[in-house]
Amino acid sequence: MKQTLAIVGAGLAGRMLAIRLADDGWDVTLFDQGERDGLESCSYTGAGMLAPQSELDRADPHIAELGDRSIALWPSVLTRLPRPVDLVMDGTVLVAHSTDEPDLERMARRILDRSPSPERIRRLSAAELGDLEPDLATRFQHGWFIEREGHIDNRQLLEALEAGITHRSITWHTTHPCPSIRPHHVDTDHPHYDWVIDCRGLGAQGDLPDLRGVRGELLHLHAPEVSLRHPIRLTHPRYPLYVVPRTDNLFVIGATEIESDDRGPITVRSALELLTAAYSLHSGFAEAHIVEARADCRPAFPDNLPRVTCEPGLVRINGLYRHGFLLAPLLLETVCQTLAKSEAVSLLETNTLLETTRT
Ligand SMILES: Cc1cc2nc3c(=O)[nH]c(=O)nc-3n(C[C@H](O)[C@H](O)[C@H](O)COP(=O)(O)OP(=O)(O)OC[C@H]3O[C@@H](n4cnc5c(N)ncnc54)[C@H](O)[C@@H]3O)c2cc1C
């Protein structure tokens, strides 16, 4: 008989695990407080950037190492899905206005110093910048380029994962909140499972008291006058900005980072700041339509690092913070190995910081 497994939380982590573990022969049941559209999940809001080196400006250096390993796994994850998902790995461009150039140089040097692969990072002359992004050539004298970074379309991904789950006939209990879960049990209405996996993101705060929300807000713009091919990061002392290109002249611009659990709509201040920064990057954004404004909270532990914990009958995966899309494939592998051994395994051989724990 197949071993039974309940996954609570059908965001990015829960959906990816459901498909992988069903393919590995587990009898999987999925629970979520929301609908299949994923609107209740942070993953629906996230920009989907896969940027291990760019994040080094502020992230723990191990995120870059883990991120590189994880990005390499994305293509095999996508082959399991019945629908195509846009995954683009053409690199990231960093720029700053002339008054902020010293900040950009400092940031680039800091990234270079901390990077496990500095050979992938290079300074761009005006001509090189123009070759990569013609629209930026007249506005910026130089920039920086980081190879082998990219982005994945988060909405397409959630939809394709949903289709993959349906395709495998995995039982999915929607609008089913599970406020507190225990080893082998999601609630009193359902039977004993061999394993329960907690993928509730910020919804697990009741069971994980040191989990906090870090609010992020972003806008979706339709800008026919803007042509950008790469994710662009604009360094600015007050309004740092990233622009992620999607198909058909759609751009995701973001994102604020505010220490708050407030999941309410975007504030006027944040919208003004993001739009001002976007307009300063490219005047073509002036005529853009604001298609959507979204805000949600990234689930984060005090060290801003992900955790996979294991006790008999219960695995928890949480704290994906700014790096859910970046790290999900690797964390998935970690959970599969954890289940196979019935004990937590280490994410990095040499690193105790990111070691998964057995509670
Ligand atoms: C503005 C913004 C931009 C971001 N940009 C990026 C980026 O560019 N790159 C990147 O890698 N990451 C990014 N992130 C982070 C990324 O989105 C998250 O790390 C990731 O989505 C977390 O996934 P998750 O599956 O752990 O949680 P979630 O996606 O939040 O999923 C949790 C699920 O659990 C369900 N749930 C919660 N509580 C309960 C309960 N009690 N019972 C049942 N179900 C429950 C929820 O409904 C939800 O479906 C961004 C985040 C934000 C907010």
Side-chain angles (χ1 to χ4, degrees):
M1 241 196 19
K2 282 183 175 182
Q3 281 203 293
T4 57
L5 186 144
I7 296 173
V8 187
L12 173 69
R15 289 178 194 217
M16 285 175 65
L17 270 170
I19 287 179
R20 170 62 193 269
L21 293 169
D23 289 351
D24 284 357
W26 293 82
D27 178 357
V28 177
T29 305
L30 193 54
F31 294 84
D32 199 281
Q33 64 187 2
E35 301 282 1
R36 284 172 175 246
D37 54 20
L39 273 164
E40 296 277 336
S41 71
C42 176
S43 309
Y44 189 84
T45 298
M49 276 185 303
L50 309 175
Q53 313 264 350
S54 300
E55 288 288 314
L56 273 175
D57 177 35
R58 54 174 101 178
D60 186 289
H62 290 110
I63 294 292
E65 190 182 337
L66 296 170
D68 277 340
R69 282 167 52 196
S70 189
I71 280 176
L73 301 172
W74 264 119
S76 69
V77 171
L78 297 186
T79 58
R80 293 175 187 265
L81 305 184
R83 290 189 197 165
V85 177
D86 287 343
L87 170 71
V88 183
M89 295 299 299
D90 287 343
T92 306
V93 172
L94 315 182
V95 290
H97 296 295
S98 52
T99 45
D100 305 324
E101 274 184 14
D103 290 337
L104 174 60
E105 292 306 300
R106 257 195 306 277
M107 188 177 102
R109 296 285 160 208
R110 185 171 155 77
I111 292 175
L112 273 171
D113 286 348
R114 308 176 89 205
S115 170
S117 35
E119 70 284 356
R120 289 197 225 147
I121 304 168
R122 64 174 197 274
R123 198 168 192 275
L124 298 172
S125 65
E128 289 168 328
L129 177 60
D131 286 344
L132 285 172
E133 291 292 358
D135 276 17
L136 300 184
T138 52
R139 293 176 175 83
F140 300 94
Q141 296 313 307
H142 76 269
W144 285 82
F145 183 64
I146 304 181
E147 289 172 15
R148 281 190 245 169
E149 291 197 336
H151 52 104
I152 189 163
D153 187 318
N154 62 320
R155 303 278 173 86
Q156 277 182 4
L157 177 63
L158 289 179
E159 282 176 18
L161 288 165
E162 195 237 318
I165 289 167
T166 306
H167 186 69
R168 287 164 177 83
S169 306
I170 294 169
T171 306
W172 186 336
H173 297 280
T174 54
T175 60
H176 191 110
C178 307
S180 181
I181 58 185
R182 294 181 292 119
H184 306 293
H185 294 277
V186 296
D187 56 29
T188 47
D189 296 340
H190 289 87
H192 170 286
Y193 293 94
D194 293 312
W195 285 94
V196 171
I197 307 194
D198 182 359
C199 297
R200 290 174 295 167
L202 207 55
Q205 262 178 319
D207 291 333
L208 300 170
D210 60 346
L211 191 69
R212 75 187 198 287
V214 181
R215 180 176 162 88
E217 299 150 297
L218 44 75
L219 295 163
H220 290 228
L221 305 181
H222 181 235
E225 295 182 19
V226 178
S227 171
L228 296 170
R229 292 194 301 115
H230 303 82
I232 313 288
R233 290 186 182 233
L234 175 71
T235 305
H236 191 283
R238 274 170 299 152
Y239 318 138
L241 176 85
Y242 59 68
V243 177
V244 186
R246 299 271 195 252
T247 49
D248 301 327
N249 290 90
L250 278 169
F251 297 90
V252 178
I253 70 165
T256 56
E257 169 130 351
I258 301 162
E259 287 292 333
S260 166
D261 288 345
D262 173 13
R263 297 182 71 200
I266 188 168
T267 62
V268 170
R269 174 199 288 262
S270 296
L272 284 171
E273 290 178 358
L274 291 170
L275 291 170
T276 304
Y279 177 62
S280 80
L281 179 79
H282 195 309
S283 57
F285 280 121
E287 301 304 326
H289 287 111
I290 301 174
V291 179
E292 190 179 336
R294 286 204 72 82
D296 208 331
C297 292
R298 309 164 178 101
F301 289 113
D303 57 8
N304 292 336
L305 294 171
R307 270 187 214 164
V308 179
T309 60
C310 175
E311 60 186 297
L314 178 62
V315 175
R316 296 185 194 271
I317 169 169
N318 218 316
L320 273 57
Y321 181 46
R322 294 172 61 93
H323 308 120
F325 292 90
L326 176 65
L327 297 180
L330 186 66
L331 291 170
L332 196 81
E333 288 305 315
T334 309
V335 173
C336 292
Q337 288 174 35
T338 297
L339 288 171
K341 293 185 179 177
S342 291
E343 64 178 46
V345 295
S346 175
L347 284 170
L348 284 174
E349 278 171 24
T350 53
N351 177 28
T352 50
L353 199 65
L354 283 181
E355 211 162 275
T356 55
T357 52
R358 186 185 177 100
T359 52

